[in-house]
Structures are given as C-alpha cells and as structure tokens.
Amino acid sequence: MNPVRVVVSMTLLACAFGAPDRPLRAQTSGSYPVKSLRMVVPFAAGGSNDVLARLIGPRLTEALGQTVVVDNRPGAGSVIGSEIVARAGGDGYTLLLADAALGFALAVQGRQTYDPVRDFSPITLIGTAPMLLLVNTQLPVQVVKDYVAIAKQQAGKLTVGSGGLGGIAHLSSELVQIRAGIKLTHIAYKGAGPAVADLVGGHIQSSFLSLASAMPQVKAGKLRVIAVTGNARMAALPDVPTFAEQGLKGMDLEQWWGVLGPAGVPRPIVDRLHGEIVKALGVPEIRERVLDLGVIPNPQPAEPFRALLTREVAFAEKLVKEAGIKVE
C-alpha cells in the first residue's frame, strides 16, 4: 500500500470519529485549564492592581486546579503590560488585571499599538472606587481650598504624582487643573507603589491615588487625604468630604478594576473565569480585604464591562483634547 494513502486514510478515519475536535473541546469545556495561567499586572508591585491580583490569584489557582502566576509588567502607564496581553493568543491562559488606564493611556500618549476595546475579551469587572487627593503631611493644607491657594501661589511648582501617563490618577490631576484653574507639575511613575513611596518621602507633594494603593500610609498617618472624587463620601473615610462638598464641582472620575483576556477568548472560558472570580470576591475574608482597600465590589460580566470600556475611551479622548495634553 502506498504510505501516503495510509496516512490519509488514518487522518480521514480520525476525522470521522471526531478526534480533531478534542483540542477545541479541551479549551472550551470543563477540561479547561490544562496548564498554568499568567495574570499580567501592568504596574509595579505594591499598587492596587497588584494587591487585587494577589488576592484573587490564589483562589483561582485553587478553583481551576492550575497555578495562576502574577506577572508584573510595568511601564508606559500600563501600555507595556496591556500590549503583552493584547498580542497573546486568545486561549484563556493570559489574563490582564486592568484598571481605568486601559481606556485612558492610549488617548494621552497618542499611541495606536492596540485598541482598548476591540483587542480584548472582557471577563469581569471587579469593582470601583473614588480617587483620593493626598498630600505629604509636610504640605500645610487640610482642604481643597488650601491646595488650590498654594497651587496658584506657586504656579507650576506644586507637584502631583501618578501611577503612569494616561492612568486615572493622571487624568484626575488634569481634571482638577481644569476645574480649579490651577497649574501643577505632573510626575509619572511606573505604578502607584513608587508614587506612594515618593509621596511619603517628600519627593513629590501630592498625588491622586485609590485607597487601595494608599491605605497603609493613610492609616499610619504618613499621608493626608483632603478630598475624594465622586458624589458621595467613602465608608472607609467618612470624615473626608468630596470635592463637590468643598465647592469644586465636576470631579466625578472613579477608578475601576477588571480582568480581561486577549480578543477571541471562547465564551465558555470567559464564563468560567467570570464565575470563579465572582466566587472569589464572595469569600468573606477576600471581600472584607477588598472593602478595606476602598474598593466597592461590583462584578459585572462581559457585555456591561465592554460598554464601560467604550464610555471610558470616549471620555478620555474628550478630556485629553480639553486639557491639551501632549506627550513628547
């Protein structure tokens, strides 16, 4: 018998019994996952994304039966880590623990390396939180009025740090300059962790941060919170008034956190991961820790999460134009 015909015949026989379907079913059925997963955090260790990834990762490892490795890839305001995930295969083994920078960073930096909506598969929104305006305790300000006064007296000299270009903290600093009519000097870091360290050390004077990033230093009295964004005070900081309560309207930006994969992750895998993350967030000790960080758990599935991303990108583009942000 011709050897080539034997191979062809065996292939046809295998097709008849459905063998070629097994790899696909393995990736889209209960047999997923069959190897370890990587959860990319696009910021340095110590920030809110990193904390949440290391809370959720072990629970996913336990639930999925495969190790979930947290991989910090900081740089370019989350663009470096996000691009790694956008370019990965959509097989459900590479995940991104993103925040609002996913929708903002490209608008600020003018890059087109990936599309924050089209090139990702939203899996679940984790939660949201208002942003805090914090100052080094050596800066003699207690309220927003004091901060604005010093900023006007020292036009362009008062520094405000963020976890990276195009992140929610950066956009918050641009928004406060527009709303208050002040000029600040923005200092971008590779994640909230380094920004917090320099704020505590007095290398910068102020910063917009989530409570998840700054809670230990706030509790220790090393940083002072003078205002929160949004329409209501935080349960974790009931004595800190909002910007609106202090007379500065329009400071409505909020941080969000969520898990995404590259575009093309099969729906059964998206649903499986969404369900397991929701279960993890429902574990009492994890939920308590998340709340302590100032994050309001609000898990939402793919479609509402994608709608949020779409709105964020549109808002970012509008704010970037209004603020005249240009990154050289």
Side-chain angles (χ1 to χ4, degrees):
M1 181 179 293
N2 188 316
V4 174
R5 291 181 179 174
V6 170
V7 172
V8 172
S9 297
M10 292 298 291
T11 301
L12 292 174
L13 183 62
C15 289
F17 286 91
D21 289 337
R22 289 190 192 117
L24 179 60
R25 285 201 302 267
Q27 300 305 305
T28 60
S29 69
S31 61
Y32 167 87
V34 296
K35 61 180 181 179
S36 62
L37 289 75
R38 176 170 63 151
M39 183 177 289
V40 175
V41 174
F43 297 104
S48 56
N49 296 58
D50 184 63
V51 172
L52 289 170
R54 295 180 190 280
L55 279 175
I56 294 171
R59 287 289 173 174
L60 281 181
T61 293
E62 180 180 338
L64 298 175
Q66 296 288 345
T67 303
V68 176
V69 179
V70 176
D71 183 8
N72 293 86
R73 294 299 185 97
S78 84
V79 169
I80 291 176
S82 299
E83 186 173 19
I84 288 172
V85 177
R87 300 290 176 253
D91 56 8
Y93 289 95
T94 303
L95 307 175
L96 176 70
L97 205 152
D99 64 13
L102 182 65
F104 291 161
L106 295 184
V108 170
Q109 298 177 37
R111 299 191 184 195
Q112 298 296 326
T113 58
Y114 56 82
D115 186 288
V117 177
R118 186 182 62 244
D119 291 337
F120 293 91
S121 296
I123 292 171
T124 186
L125 180 69
I126 293 173
T128 60
M131 296 299 293
L132 317 177
L133 176 56
L134 299 104
V135 298
N136 179 278
T137 54
Q138 299 303 308
L139 192 69
V141 302
Q142 301 289 334
V143 294
V144 171
K145 183 179 179 180
D146 298 339
Y147 184 81
V148 171
I150 287 184
K152 288 183 176 180
Q153 292 167 6
Q154 305 176 13
K157 294 183 179 180
L158 187 62
T159 53
V160 57
S162 77
L165 294 171
I168 183 71
H170 179 198
L171 271 292
S172 296
S173 73
E174 296 292 343
L175 191 60
V176 76
Q177 291 178 77
I178 292 171
R179 298 290 187 256
I182 57 177
K183 177 63 178 176
L184 306 171
T185 294
H186 174 242
I187 308 295
Y189 292 84
K190 291 184 178 182
V196 170
D198 268 12
L199 183 58
V200 172
H203 302 293
I204 55 175
Q205 296 161 297
S206 64
S207 183
F208 277 92
L209 295 162
S210 67
L211 189 58
S213 299
M215 174 65 90
Q217 290 76 18
V218 171
K219 284 186 173 181
K222 296 179 179 180
L223 296 176
R224 182 184 303 126
V225 186
I226 64 172
V228 299
T229 63
N231 299 315
R233 297 190 184 194
M234 296 183 67
L237 297 171
D239 296 328
V240 179
T242 65
F243 279 93
E245 287 179 284
Q246 298 185 60
L248 192 60
K249 307 295 184 180
M251 292 296 296
D252 300 325
L253 282 176
E254 286 192 325
Q255 176 66 293
W256 59 260
W257 295 266
V259 178
L260 307 96
V265 177
R267 187 55 188 253
I269 293 179
V270 168
D271 292 343
R272 173 87 186 277
L273 290 170
H274 170 78
E276 297 298 351
I277 293 171
V278 171
K279 288 178 184 177
L281 292 172
V283 174
E285 55 266 34
I286 291 181
R287 182 177 176 81
E288 182 177 354
R289 179 74 191 282
V290 169
L291 289 170
D292 284 345
L293 291 170
V295 179
I296 303 169
N298 184 25
Q300 294 182 16
E303 287 76 13
F305 191 10
R306 186 180 297 278
L308 181 149
L309 272 175
T310 302
R311 292 194 303 271
E312 292 279 291
V313 171
F315 177 80
E317 291 174 348
K318 179 181 178 181
L319 180 56
V320 166
K321 290 180 181 178
E322 184 178 359
I325 302 172
K326 294 181 180 180
V327 178
E328 300 297 334

